[in-house]
Amino acid sequence: AAPAEGGGGYDCETTEIFMPALSSTMVEGKIVSWLKAVGDPVSAGEAIMVVESDKADMDVEAFEDGYLAAIITDEGETAEVGAPVGIIVEEEADVAVVEAAGPLTIASSTGLASPAAAAPKAAAPKP
């Protein structure tokens, strides 16, 4: 089956959890703790992680119902605002699909190209 639109390269529909901007000056956040484990059900509006910003520690809520399928940024690690830190799937069975795909698929499907990956685009032939 082809990945769903916005599916992050998986053979199931996924929703990425992004590091939110918790203040106007925040450029990155540290995951203090995940309140859910991989495989746990999550509900929209439910706190799923605690993030330390430049101002304070705050609970971050899920925006969709589903199941936590992957944690990209572990507790104690930091991520830039807007970077994916986790993945939610709609169906519990899809947790295994995301786990089987592994972290390389997550990193390559985020749309955040590394400088080395972006270099060929910058070196396009001149007309």
Side-chain angles (χ1 to χ4, degrees):
E5 183 175 323
Y10 297 103
D11 289 333
C12 61
E13 188 167 331
T14 62
T15 301
E16 291 178 321
I17 304 165
F18 296 101
M19 176 62 70
L22 301 175
S23 73
S24 60
T25 58
M26 181 175 163
V27 294
E28 68 178 13
K30 177 180 173 183
I31 307 267
V32 175
S33 64
W34 281 94
L35 304 176
K36 295 288 185 174
V38 171
D40 285 353
V42 296
S43 299
E46 178 180 22
I48 54 172
M49 63 180 170
V50 178
V51 171
E52 176 184 304
S53 73
D54 53 346
K55 308 274 186 215
D57 292 1
M58 299 183 70
D59 288 352
V60 176
E61 298 176 353
F63 291 106
E64 305 228 356
D65 295 338
Y67 295 85
L68 184 61
I71 291 175
I72 300 170
T73 305
D74 290 322
E75 291 180 359
E77 294 182 355
T78 60
E80 291 183 19
V81 168
V85 296
I87 295 179
I88 293 175
V89 294
E90 288 186 8
E91 304 295 329
E92 187 173 12
D94 291 336
V95 172
V97 173
V98 173
E99 285 182 318
L104 294 178
T105 303
I106 294 168
S108 65
S109 69
T110 59
L112 300 175
S114 67
K121 293 178 185 173
K126 295 180 181 177

